[in-house]
Amino acid sequence: MLERKEIVEKLEAELGRERFTHSLRAEKIALALAKKFGVGQKKASLAALLHDCARRYDRKELLQKARRLGLLIDPIRKFEPKLFHGEIGAWLARREFGVRSAGVLNAIRRHTTGAPGMTKLDKIIYLADHIEEGRAFTGVDKLRRLAFRDLDRAIYESASAMIRFLVKQGRPIYPPTVVTRNYYLPAGRRGSAKL
Ligand code: DGI
Ligand code: FE
Ligand code: FE
């Protein structure tokens, strides 16, 4: 596996400036969340640094890679190929960066839509992506504070905000995004139902 320094250099060479600095900022807050919630620093750093490594590909390349990897090309992801960047990123992290930890690879895989039953590391990476200090949407400060208090509640708020954003923009919602939001709906709002 590559050393952190080599990973950072490779990402800097492959990603655009904005995406690269976003990855460093995601690492910074992922490390703080990992410390708070008792997750290993090494894994948090790796997953956060690499979470967007597949963003070096454009739409066409993401689709090509997805086909080559045998991923299901459903209509929503065909229209919005960036929805493949988690899955393809996990593949790249393994193949080109030598990551072997299944926990780290899963966190990269799941970071865009989230998933039911995420591990603490998955949740930290999902949230770090949304609340790193460069993000500036309405309510981000509140969400940052919430993340350090209650990961599940912050995931729910984050997934809800993502869905509101997509609706506002008139874009299709990929069903796993909805599944995540329902799964993390606070108990008080879903009675005893497990969604
Ligand atoms: O890779 P980042 O930009 O750092 O963040 P991300 O991995 O959360 O990806 C965000 C992008 O993915 C953003 O442009 C919205 C899009 N996205 C996330 N969920 C959905 C989605 N797009 C559609 N159409 N449907 C979704 O459910
Ligand atoms: Fe991403
Ligand atoms: Fe990201």
Side-chain angles (χ1 to χ4, degrees):
M1 197 183 70
L2 301 188
E3 295 293 329
R4 181 182 179 284
K5 183 164 174 286
E6 298 169 299
I7 291 176
V8 170
E9 283 168 8
K10 185 166 157 63
L11 290 173
E12 187 170 19
E14 292 174 352
L15 298 177
R17 190 82 209 153
E18 226 352 90
R19 183 68 53 185
F20 171 65
T21 55
H22 158 68
S23 305
L24 292 180
R25 293 189 299 266
E27 182 198 30
K28 183 176 169 199
I29 196 153
L31 284 171
L33 286 166
K35 193 162 172 218
K36 164 86 187 178
F37 292 104
V39 168
Q41 295 285 108
K42 187 86 206 127
K43 287 188 177 180
S45 161
L46 261 181
L49 281 175
L50 291 172
H51 82 280
D52 276 341
C53 67
R55 285 284 209 160
R56 71 187 205 214
Y57 297 128
D58 63 18
R59 291 172 58 91
K60 201 169 141 235
E61 291 167 325
L62 282 170
L63 259 181
Q64 256 168 18
K65 278 267 179 247
R67 287 209 174 87
R68 225 170 278 157
L69 293 177
L71 302 176
L72 177 75
I73 315 289
D74 56 279
I76 294 185
R77 289 193 296 183
K78 190 169 177 186
F79 173 75
E80 195 96 81
K82 73 174 112 171
L83 287 165
F84 283 116
H85 81 272
E87 191 69 57
I88 294 170
W91 176 82
L92 274 177
R94 183 176 167 82
R95 206 183 119 121
E96 289 194 6
F97 293 82
V99 176
R100 288 294 176 269
S101 158
V104 169
L105 297 174
N106 271 330
I108 297 170
R109 185 172 286 122
R110 294 174 176 154
H111 86 268
T112 301
T113 61
M118 287 190 278
T119 65
K120 272 195 276 184
L121 178 63
D122 295 338
K123 293 174 193 175
I124 286 170
I125 300 308
Y126 178 93
L127 288 171
D129 186 25
H130 289 199
I131 64 174
E132 55 91 351
E133 61 193 24
R135 300 280 198 200
F137 55 90
T138 313
V140 68
D141 284 327
K142 207 170 151 204
L143 192 56
R144 268 185 207 120
R145 290 194 296 274
L146 180 61
F148 282 88
R149 284 204 313 275
D150 185 341
L151 288 175
D152 286 5
R153 186 63 195 247
I155 298 266
Y156 163 72
E157 295 296 345
S158 212
S160 298
M162 173 58 88
I163 291 169
R164 278 194 296 271
F165 166 78
L166 291 165
V167 168
K168 209 164 161 185
Q169 294 215 327
R171 283 156 72 186
I173 297 170
Y174 188 46
T177 305
V178 177
V179 170
T180 299
R181 189 259 183 191
N182 287 346
Y183 184 91
Y184 289 96
L185 200 70
R189 297 197 190 157
R190 59 176 157 78
S192 58
K194 286 254 188 295
L195 301 175

